[in-house]
């Protein structure tokens, strides 16, 4: 994507039951770079973030297929009562993808091992848009979707919000760390340098070809004069000196041509 762009709107529209987890996140990197770290083909970054969030037994995190992917991990729980860990089933969907405007990815998390775990899923929406100075703004919104009643609904929603605040903070810290320590533009820069080098070599080869065209039988008189001139110069040099040897070699090559 582009490396420069004026600020854009997040595209967020409030749904019933939404809770904003964080609306002040700013990452000092272009929108496309941040998107590639979180949701690009190199999923090692996402696995690193999940590990930093203290998750374990993380399954393979695949690339997106038809704007969707699924994976799972085990998340430790630190409540005074209840299970000490739960399996998290993750489904991510890219629902809006416009690099010149905003990107929205919905993450749906199911936790079957917690009380009432089959009665709800947590929907987290991440809005990525252009910030000032070609940076990326991130808005994180969550919503607990219920499919049946639960007498611990309030406790689950509060726990979900607090848990996501902690996880998003870790995600932001890791994003900043990855961006500050990884040259994500290195490959592109190398390609540009190689391309420039090839272009320079091409110009040199064209120049040589042009000189070769000039050195045709019809141009033998010019070559003879060059040889005579160089021979006169060599006469003024010590033939054993580097300059004398170099000019002698040039004269022999021209004579052969």
């Amino acid at each position: 994507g582009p490396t420069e762009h004026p600020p854009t709107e997040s595209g967020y529209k409030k749904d019933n039951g939404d809770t904003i987890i964080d609306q002040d996140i700013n990452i000092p990197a272009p929108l496309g770079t941040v998107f590639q770290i979180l949701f690009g083909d190199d999923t090692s970054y996402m696995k690193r973030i999940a590990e930093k969030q203290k998750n374990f037994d993380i399954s393979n995190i695949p690339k997106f297929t038809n704007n969707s992917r699924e994976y799972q991990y085990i998340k430790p729980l630190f409540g005074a009562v209840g299970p000490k860990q739960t399996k998290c089933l993750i489904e991510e969907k890219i629902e809006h993808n416009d690099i010149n405007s905003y990107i929205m990815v919905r993450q749906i998390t199911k936790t079957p091992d917690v009380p009432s775990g089959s009665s709800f899923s947590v929907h987290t929406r991440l809005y990525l848009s252009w910030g000032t100075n070609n940076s990326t703004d991130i808005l994180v919104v969550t919503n607990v979707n219920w499919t049946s009643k639960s007498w611990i609904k309030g406790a689950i929603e509060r726990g979900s919000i607090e848990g996501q605040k902690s996880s998003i903070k870790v995600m932001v810290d890791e994003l900043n760390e990855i961006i500050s320590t990884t040259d994500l533009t290195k490959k592109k820069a190398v390609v540009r340098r190689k391309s420039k080098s090839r272009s320079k070599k091409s110009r040199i080869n064209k120049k040589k070809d042009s000189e070769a065209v000039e050195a045709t039988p019809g141009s033998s008189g010019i070559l003879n004069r060059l040889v005579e001139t160089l021979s006169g110069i060599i006469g003024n040099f010590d033939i054993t000196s580097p300059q004398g040897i170099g000019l002698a070699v040039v004269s022999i090559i021209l004579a052969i041509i």
Side-chain angles (χ1 to χ4, degrees):
T3 57
E4 297 181 354
H5 201 284
T8 58
E9 296 295 326
S10 67
Y12 170 61
K13 294 180 180 178
K14 184 177 176 62
D15 287 343
N16 186 37
D18 278 357
T19 298
I20 294 177
I21 299 299
D22 201 327
Q23 59 185 350
D24 298 317
I25 301 170
N26 181 263
I27 306 297
L31 176 57
T33 299
V34 177
F35 175 78
Q36 286 300 320
I37 293 173
L38 293 175
F39 307 112
D41 290 346
D42 186 353
T43 60
S44 64
Y45 295 120
M46 195 61 174
K47 184 174 183 179
R48 168 178 166 174
I49 291 170
E51 289 173 340
K52 287 291 185 176
Q53 293 169 334
K54 302 186 184 304
N55 302 307
F56 58 95
D57 288 350
I58 302 168
S59 71
N60 175 58
I61 302 177
K63 300 177 183 179
F64 278 86
T65 303
N66 296 324
N67 291 323
S68 179
R69 71 180 178 188
E70 296 181 7
Y71 56 97
Q72 63 184 46
Y73 51 73
I74 304 296
K75 177 178 283 296
L77 302 175
F78 304 100
V81 296
K84 299 303 179 185
Q85 64 184 42
T86 181
K87 179 185 291 184
C88 293
L89 307 176
I90 311 297
E91 180 182 7
E92 291 176 336
K93 299 179 179 179
I94 302 174
E95 297 190 357
H96 189 274
N97 189 0
D98 183 354
I99 197 69
N100 291 306
S101 177
Y102 74 93
I103 297 170
M104 193 275 273
V105 178
R106 182 186 298 269
Q107 185 184 81
I108 302 170
T109 304
K110 296 180 180 179
T111 51
D113 300 334
V114 303
S116 298
S118 60
S119 301
F120 72 93
S121 59
V122 180
H123 289 237
T124 303
R125 308 198 304 277
L126 289 88
Y127 293 84
L128 283 64
S129 57
W130 287 93
T132 57
N133 299 319
N134 307 309
S135 62
T136 300
D137 289 337
I138 302 179
L139 167 65
V140 184
V141 181
T142 192
N143 196 322
V144 181
N145 287 10
W146 292 90
T147 55
S148 60
K149 294 181 180 180
S150 172
W151 62 277
I152 56 173
K153 178 180 178 180
I156 288 175
E157 290 183 344
R158 287 192 298 272
S160 173
I161 291 169
E162 291 305 313
Q164 287 197 61
K165 286 181 178 179
S166 175
S167 294
I168 292 301
K169 183 180 183 303
V170 173
M171 182 194 78
V172 171
D173 290 344
E174 282 304 299
L175 272 174
N176 284 318
E177 178 70 14
I178 290 167
I179 288 167
S180 66
T181 59
T182 306
D183 186 0
L184 298 171
T185 61
K186 186 176 181 180
K187 289 183 178 179
K188 291 183 179 179
V190 169
V191 170
R192 284 196 295 268
R193 286 196 295 272
K194 285 184 177 179
S195 177
K196 190 173 182 181
S197 176
R198 284 195 297 268
S199 178
K200 184 176 180 181
K201 287 180 180 178
S202 177
R203 289 196 300 270
I204 292 172
N205 289 334
K206 286 181 180 178
K207 184 177 180 182
K208 288 182 177 179
D209 291 343
S210 177
E211 291 172 348
V213 169
E214 290 177 1
T216 59
S219 304
S220 59
I222 296 174
L223 289 175
N224 288 334
R225 285 197 295 272
L226 284 172
V227 172
E228 290 172 2
T229 302
L230 288 169
S231 298
I233 294 172
I234 292 172
N236 296 325
F237 275 97
D238 179 358
I239 194 62
T240 61
S241 70
Q243 294 90 340
I245 294 171
L247 286 170
V249 170
V250 171
S251 298
I252 293 169
I253 292 171
L254 288 173
I256 293 171
I257 294 172

